[in-house]
Amino acid sequence: MDRALELAARGPAHGPNPRVGCVILAPATPGIPGRTVLGEGWHRGAGTPHAEVAALADARARGHDTRGATAVVTLEPCHHTGRTGPCTRALLDAGITDVVHALADPGVTSGGGADHLRAHGVHVTAGPRSAAALDLVHTWHHAVTTGRPWITLKTATSLDGRVAASDGTSQWITGPQARAHAHAIRAQVDAIAVTTGTALADDPALTARTPTGTLAPHQPLRVVIGHRDLPADHRLLHDGPPPLHLRTHDVGDVLAALHHHEIRHLLVEGGPALAGALLAADVVDELHAYIAPVLLGDGPPAIPPYGITTLATAPRWHTTTTHRLGDDILLIARRTATHPDPDTEEA
Amino acid sequence: MDRALELAARGPAHGPNPRVGCVILAPATPGIPGRTVLGEGWHRGAGTPHAEVAALADARARGHDTRGATAVVTLEPCHHTGRTGPCTRALLDAGITDVVHALADPGVTSGGGADHLRAHGVHVTAGPRSAAALDLVHTWHHAVTTGRPWITLKTATSLDGRVAASDGTSQWITGPQARAHAHAIRAQVDAIAVTTGTALADDPALTARTPTGTLAPHQPLRVVIGHRDLPADHRLLHDGPPPLHLRTHDVGDVLAALHHHEIRHLLVEGGPALAGALLAADVVDELHAYIAPVLLGDGPPAIPPYGITTLATAPRWHTTTTHRLGDDILLIARRTATHPDPDTEEA
């Protein structure tokens, strides 16, 4: 399974489908420890073969007979015809008699593969390394489980939480290392959202660029939220594929539309009104807070009032990672249900 | 000199005097490498012997003759009679013929020791490890050079820069690890300042406590700044020695009074008006920003408007350290004169 997880990680973090890896093992030979690897495969993105099909093809290309073999796969084989046929069919056709999978498939359409295989006489074992497998596909898993994308809210602020000085100047609060990091994140997500207000004010390209300034191989879908039109000469309309313009302020409508577009991971870059609406709806799953050591004392805040009036009921976050990026820091945090225990220290 | 620096670091970080270490070495013996250590000493705080005097006493206690010996000391020997006599006199009386010191003494009253020693035939060498020696005494060095304390501004805020929710609740934004760290810093400084506004609102004890809740051995002078009286039952008047109440809003008057009290390191804990006044006067030397992963969206900001209107002229800080403290982070930054180079990336 470790090898299958390694293979899975070769796939893209973005895209509608999960990252999956598969290893085909020859039947055990009595008296000889270990199992011969017949084939390996991983999913390279929507429209390409699933990991199981890729691994079976690899085994055939190497001249191996897969009858009686074991498929070790990081996710329960799908039982669904989408852009490609069901993996359950491919495994049965290849004569696979044993399947070991890590994570169960939570999909209402793609799930049920293990039961189908068992019904056809395959010995299916579930569970090893399922936490590691989930880690590889957590945005996809979240989206197919909840029906909405995993939402990462990015802020780039002064130490005192301002996104700009009082005259509106905001370029650049954070330094080049923080900005390069933010571009690398853009290249991993499915979509980036800004409000029409931010688009009109900043005319952002919202492209993912490498440190040398060239476009990254994967560009996220650019999403603009709000009722106003963008001028035709704005970068979002001028450069690259057209953005998705969602003419609504309803968070539920926005998330449903994105889910319909199979967006698994949404990066929200601004403005404050959108951040506030998502926080108020408690649908932000992760914060990426880039913080620069500068104090502005005034200027627009990153987060507007969104309904928190007292500390005890403020949603709490669990810090998963901190990065030093030049003079700036990045704090990554996820929502946690629990509030820290109150205590009674003196100030 | 490495050994002398180790000895110096045994002294207290707080107090009016610098941390100094001294090693007395026997004269070189021809043909034999290395030098015998005759005595060691360090300064233990105001009113106790200086490092040189302590090291000479140690040598005598061990029965050594110090005539013709070398004194290796982290700071230029003082030439000044204060609470104790001048070290130059002690070194000459002991027959020391060579002095090697790291940092030069910048003091207008205590300086001049090297020249005095040279005039009396001592061979004085200056400079080795002066950066390390300065690092040990930087708050003292700053104070005697500039005539005002080194000022550390502490903030404890939400990720969006708020010190409290909109209803005023602020206990506790940061977690127990961050608060324990802040108490450890209190135990290293000479004084803690708050405004009368903060004192009246929060009734803080402003004591330095250990993680078990007991008082730390060193308690900083507590300073209250503002015109209003504190009620007699407030903790600042009730517990421990009386605070220093400076009835002024003039930053220059505050700093002069603190310098007169030989405060080398001042920790400013609140409120926002004091932080703003000190930032506007550009006398904050170091920031300690404790940041909790919570977004409040509203509530009082840590830093009020203090005259920054555009990003390009905002004072910049250099991040020296970041600490993860549970879910919180501490960012420590110092003022830097240079603004990062502007560049022209796309957003």
Side-chain angles (χ1 to χ4, degrees), chain B residues 207-258:
Chain B
T207 48
R209 291 185 179 271
T210 67
T212 58
T214 59
L215 286 173
H218 165 69
Q219 291 296 319
L221 176 68
R222 301 173 300 171
V223 181
V224 185
I225 299 170
H227 293 289
R228 282 179 285 175
D229 286 325
L230 300 183
D233 64 347
H234 262 223
R235 283 207 189 104
L236 282 170
L237 297 181
H238 192 75
D239 300 344
L244 175 64
H245 192 156
L246 300 174
R247 295 173 189 270
T248 175
H249 288 159
D250 183 278
V251 167
D253 289 349
V254 168
L255 300 183
L258 294 171

Side-chain angles (χ1 to χ4, degrees), chain A residues 166-167 169 172-173 179 205 293-295 297 304-306 309-311 315-319 322 324 327 329 343 345 347, chain B residues 166-167 169 172-173 179 205 293-295 297 304-306 309-311 315-319 322 324 327 329 343 345 347:
Chain A
S166 60
D167 70 347
T169 48
W172 297 102
I173 285 182
R179 297 198 299 277
V294 59
L295 296 169
Y306 69 97
T309 55
T310 194
L311 191 58
R316 286 278 165 173
W317 300 76
H318 168 62
T319 300
T322 58
R324 172 86 174 268
D327 274 338
I329 51 170
D343 52 42
E345 287 169 60
Chain B
S166 61
D167 71 347
T169 49
W172 297 102
I173 285 182
R179 297 198 298 278
V294 59
L295 296 169
Y306 68 97
T309 55
T310 194
L311 191 58
R316 287 277 165 174
W317 300 75
H318 168 63
T319 301
T322 59
R324 172 87 174 266
D327 275 336
I329 50 170
D343 51 42
E345 288 169 58

Side-chain angles (χ1 to χ4, degrees), chain B residues 11-81:
Chain B
H14 51 83
N17 291 354
R19 291 193 279 186
V20 183
C22 180
V23 179
I24 308 293
L25 298 177
T29 307
I32 299 179
R35 304 274 290 267
T36 304
V37 172
L38 303 181
E40 295 183 334
W42 67 95
H43 183 54
R44 294 159 193 257
T48 71
H50 285 192
E52 299 91 323
V53 172
L56 290 169
D58 182 46
R60 277 194 299 275
R62 299 192 202 182
H64 293 307
D65 180 359
T66 56
R67 282 175 296 178
T70 297
V72 178
V73 59
T74 58
L75 180 69
E76 180 185 347
C78 78
H79 182 56
H80 165 66
T81 302

Side-chain angles (χ1 to χ4, degrees), chain A residues 186 192-207 219-225 228-245 270, chain B residues 346-347:
Chain A
R186 283 182 177 177
I192 308 179
V194 296
T195 57
T196 48
T198 291
L200 290 167
D202 297 348
D203 189 17
L206 295 185
T207 48
Q219 291 296 320
L221 175 69
R222 301 174 299 172
V223 181
V224 186
I225 299 169
R228 284 180 283 176
D229 288 324
L230 300 183
D233 63 346
H234 262 224
R235 283 207 188 104
L236 283 171
L237 297 180
H238 192 75
D239 301 344
L244 175 65
H245 192 156
Chain B
E346 290 184 10

